[in-house]
Amino acid sequence: MARLALVAAAEAAEAGVSGALMGALDTLRVAITLFDAQERLTYCNQHFNYLFAAFPARESLTGLSYADMIRLEVETGHVVPPDGSVDDFIAKRREQMREGEFLPRDIALSDGRIVEIKARRTKSGGWIALWTDVTYARHSAMRQEDLVELSADAFAFWDRHDRLMLCNSAFAAIHGHSSTEMALKSPFEELLRSAVKRGRFQIDSDAESWIARRLDAHHSPAGVLTVIMASGEAYLVRDRATRDGGRATVYTNVTDHHRVESALNEQTRALERTKRALAKTQVHAERQASYLADLTDRLGRAEAEADTAKTALLRTMSHELKTPLNAIIGFADLLQTAPKQFSGEQVGEYAGLIHGAGKNLLRLINQILDLTKIASGRFAITPVEVSVGATLWTALDQLREKADGKSVAMDVEGCEEGLCVRADENAFTNVLVQLLDNAVSFTQEGGQVRLSASRFGAHVRIVIADNGPGVAEADLARILEPFEQVGRSMSTHHDGAGLGLPLVKGLAELHGGSLSVSSREGEGFTAELLWPAG
């Protein structure tokens, strides 16, 4: 309100009011100068000559431009330009007279005083400038800044809007700033989030929760919080409300104390762990005898299961190997003992049967070898980009004759264009042929096999389904184990040893894919293959 009264009085003086009012202006401890639109001095009160004692009497100053008055400051020795250039100094000072550049400006007098100049437009288009000696206030602020800077703690003061008004270099460094000026006027939350984003603090939870705790401590009447820097230093942070409505923040380095406390806590936890371990030792000793007896029993059962599995393997293999070998030997003996009794057509037929049995035998041996290599991690693959559509048609062509012989329809219900997988080409072809052969083999005369392929996230999903007799749900897991032929009698297993689906599963998993099967007895069988997309 006092400043507004001064401005009103000055404007009255500009309007020509004299007498008692002019006398009142001369008693003020603030220098008042009035300039017209061309920045020429039209009035100044008596206090102006007090500020600039070496100036001529104020009456002789009337008509001087603002630039001339600045030169007079320099010529009389009141002011020394900071960079030595009078013209640059005048240009900087005159910026305050521009529209929108009304911020106060300090000038340092050569005798140590500091004068604050505040300028603004008048209604007539001229200027009013108020000159105030702020030496005591500025020196007090500088002493305060020096004291804060000398402190071993990190200090910061915030205004009522939570903007940083003063801090020392230690506080600036904690928040990642090389100087205090870079952080001034910044809101507290903005400084905090910037420091967190740059990794200045160790965050013991998610960043937002940590920031919320720090904000809560900062806004509390007397908040206290310990923060750990990325460097490992620990600081006790105290926030307090100040009498002017702002806040003060102090960071105290407590790294040594924190380390000692952490070490003591760790020792306490170690002692607790030791006590619990000792308490468990007795229980462990009591259980050990029981455990050893149980282990012996389990080893005995595992040995018995291994013998059973070995017996099942030998029984299955003896049958699967003998079947094609009997066919080969039988027809070969027949042709050898009486070759002239058979026509050329019969010889061709028997040779075909021998060839077929040999192929079945070779396929069985190859499947066993491939499963063995997969189990031992020695199955070598060379992944390349393989076209799903082309491989599906290759598999269909290989099974076409077999399907036609049973009047089984093979329908491709959908295959996205350009669909590719990342796979060993031979292994991928073998997988599709095996799944399709399995579907055709176990589908009755006149049945149907359906195929589809589509993208499924990062994989390609290939589905092969038939409308054959299916498998009971309880037996689905077993048919993915070698030599299992659940629900398939020896007379209808179609030259299979129960190795096809386990081999497909092993090859898919070797490539990072998977095989799953679903079925209900009497409702068909579905194999779903997931393979990494190319």
Side-chain angles (χ1 to χ4, degrees):
M1 294 298 291
R3 187 176 293 116
L4 291 175
L6 288 174
V7 172
E11 287 181 341
E14 182 186 32
V17 178
S18 58
L21 181 59
M22 299 297 290
L25 292 178
D26 285 335
T27 64
L28 295 176
R29 300 286 292 174
V30 176
I32 300 174
T33 54
L34 300 179
F35 297 88
D36 61 17
Q38 285 74 43
E39 297 183 15
R40 293 190 300 267
L41 183 70
T42 61
Y43 169 80
C44 65
N45 67 348
Q46 188 174 347
H47 194 71
F48 189 78
N49 274 125
Y50 172 79
L51 285 180
F52 298 98
F55 273 25
R58 56 177 173 155
E59 291 79 10
S60 64
L61 299 176
T62 303
L64 290 180
S65 69
Y66 187 47
D68 290 337
M69 293 182 67
I70 297 172
R71 288 192 181 92
L72 190 58
E73 292 174 14
V74 176
E75 291 171 2
T76 56
H78 280 296
V79 174
V80 177
D83 56 2
S85 171
V86 176
D87 290 337
D88 288 346
F89 182 60
I90 292 172
K92 287 287 186 183
R93 290 274 297 277
R94 289 188 65 233
E95 287 178 359
Q96 194 179 14
M97 294 293 190
R98 291 206 303 255
E99 194 71 39
E101 299 287 343
F102 301 146
L103 291 177
R105 181 183 297 273
D106 285 358
I107 59 170
L109 304 187
S110 55
D111 61 3
R113 289 179 296 160
I114 299 173
V115 175
E116 179 189 68
I117 305 173
K118 294 179 180 176
R120 79 172 193 69
R121 281 276 193 183
T122 63
K123 293 178 181 178
S124 61
W127 300 90
I128 296 175
L130 305 179
W131 309 62
T132 307
D133 188 335
V134 293
T135 307
Y136 179 79
R138 295 296 186 266
H139 285 177
S140 295
M142 285 187 282
R143 283 192 291 270
Q144 183 184 19
E145 291 176 4
D146 291 340
L147 286 172
V148 168
E149 188 62 37
L150 285 171
S151 173
D153 292 335
F155 272 93
F157 294 94
W158 315 84
D159 65 14
R160 63 176 58 251
H161 303 294
D162 217 13
R163 293 173 302 198
L164 182 64
M165 301 307 296
L166 174 66
C167 71
N168 60 3
S169 56
F171 180 87
I174 284 174
H175 291 80
H177 294 281
S178 57
S179 67
T180 58
E181 288 77 11
M182 295 176 66
L184 290 180
K185 300 297 183 181
S186 299
F188 173 77
E189 185 170 352
E190 180 182 307
L191 271 176
L192 178 65
R193 288 187 178 278
S194 176
V196 170
K197 185 176 181 181
R198 285 179 290 170
R200 300 293 302 170
F201 301 103
Q202 290 184 22
I203 307 298
D204 56 4
S205 59
D206 67 278
E208 286 301 321
S209 297
W210 189 91
I211 290 172
R213 291 201 305 274
R214 179 67 191 97
L215 288 172
D216 183 63
H218 177 72
H219 294 128
S220 297
V224 179
L225 186 72
T226 299
V227 299
I228 311 299
M229 306 299 296
S231 60
E233 292 181 302
Y235 284 90
L236 179 67
V237 185
R238 289 167 290 174
D239 291 277
R240 295 290 187 277
T242 56
R243 286 176 290 180
D244 62 354
R247 303 196 67 77
T249 301
V250 182
Y251 280 67
T252 303
N253 193 317
V254 292
T255 304
D256 292 339
H257 175 76
H258 179 74
R259 286 173 179 165
V260 170
E261 189 177 67
S262 297
L264 287 174
N265 289 337
E266 179 57 34
Q267 288 295 326
T268 301
R269 289 193 294 269
L271 287 172
E272 289 296 326
R273 289 195 296 268
T274 302
K275 287 169 63 178
R276 289 194 297 269
L278 289 172
K280 290 178 180 179
T281 300
Q282 184 176 359
V283 176
H284 177 72
E286 293 172 353
R287 292 178 178 174
Q288 189 170 15
S290 175
Y291 171 76
L292 290 174
D294 181 61
L295 180 61
T296 302
D297 182 60
R298 280 187 287 162
L299 288 173
R301 289 200 303 271
E303 185 178 356
E305 289 173 2
D307 287 339
T308 301
K310 180 170 65 175
T311 302
L313 171 62
L314 293 174
R315 184 173 62 248
T316 304
M317 291 306 301
S318 66
H319 175 78
E320 298 300 334
L321 291 173
K322 283 167 63 177
T323 300
L325 282 174
N326 286 337
I328 293 170
I329 294 170
F331 286 111
D333 285 344
L334 203 59
L335 291 173
Q336 186 178 29
T337 54
K340 295 181 180 181
Q341 293 182 6
F342 304 102
S343 64
E345 184 178 347
Q346 288 176 312
V347 171
E349 180 185 356
Y350 295 159
L353 291 171
I354 293 172
H355 179 73
K359 284 181 64 178
N360 287 338
L361 183 60
L362 179 61
R363 181 181 63 178
L364 176 61
I365 293 172
N366 284 336
Q367 287 178 335
I368 294 172
L369 291 175
D370 286 345
L371 280 171
T372 303
K373 289 178 182 178
I374 292 173
S376 61
R378 293 186 295 107
F379 193 101
I381 59 173
T382 306
V384 295
E385 194 172 271
V386 180
S387 169
V388 176
T391 311
L392 275 176
W393 286 111
T394 298
L396 285 168
D397 288 341
Q398 290 191 33
L399 273 298
R400 185 73 62 189
E401 183 178 350
K402 182 173 182 178
D404 290 344
K406 297 179 64 177
S407 299
V408 173
M410 295 189 295
D411 300 324
V412 179
E413 296 184 340
C415 180
E416 294 180 17
E417 186 176 351
L419 206 57
C420 293
V421 293
R422 187 76 180 167
D424 182 284
E425 188 169 6
N426 289 333
F428 186 62
T429 302
N430 186 20
V431 164
L432 295 187
V433 169
Q434 182 60 57
L435 289 176
L436 196 56
D437 184 37
N438 190 71
V440 172
S441 296
F442 293 98
T443 301
Q444 308 97 321
E445 295 278 343
Q448 183 186 32
V449 176
R450 304 180 307 280
L451 302 90
S452 65
S454 59
R455 182 170 289 276
F456 186 74
H459 292 77
V460 170
R461 177 166 57 190
I462 301 168
V463 179
I464 299 177
D466 62 61
N467 62 351
V471 177
E473 288 185 74
D475 295 328
L476 281 176
R478 290 177 54 196
I479 63 173
L480 295 179
E481 299 296 328
F483 306 109
E484 291 288 349
Q485 294 180 321
V486 177
R488 302 171 185 182
S489 67
M490 297 303 289
S491 62
T492 61
H493 74 323
H494 302 276
D495 303 314
L499 298 177
L501 289 179
L503 181 59
V504 170
K505 180 175 181 290
L507 289 173
E509 292 174 353
L510 189 63
H511 284 78
S514 64
L515 171 69
S516 60
V517 294
S518 59
S519 178
R520 286 187 179 180
E521 206 163 7
E523 297 183 13
F525 185 87
T526 299
E528 181 177 301
L529 187 68
L530 287 180
W531 205 283

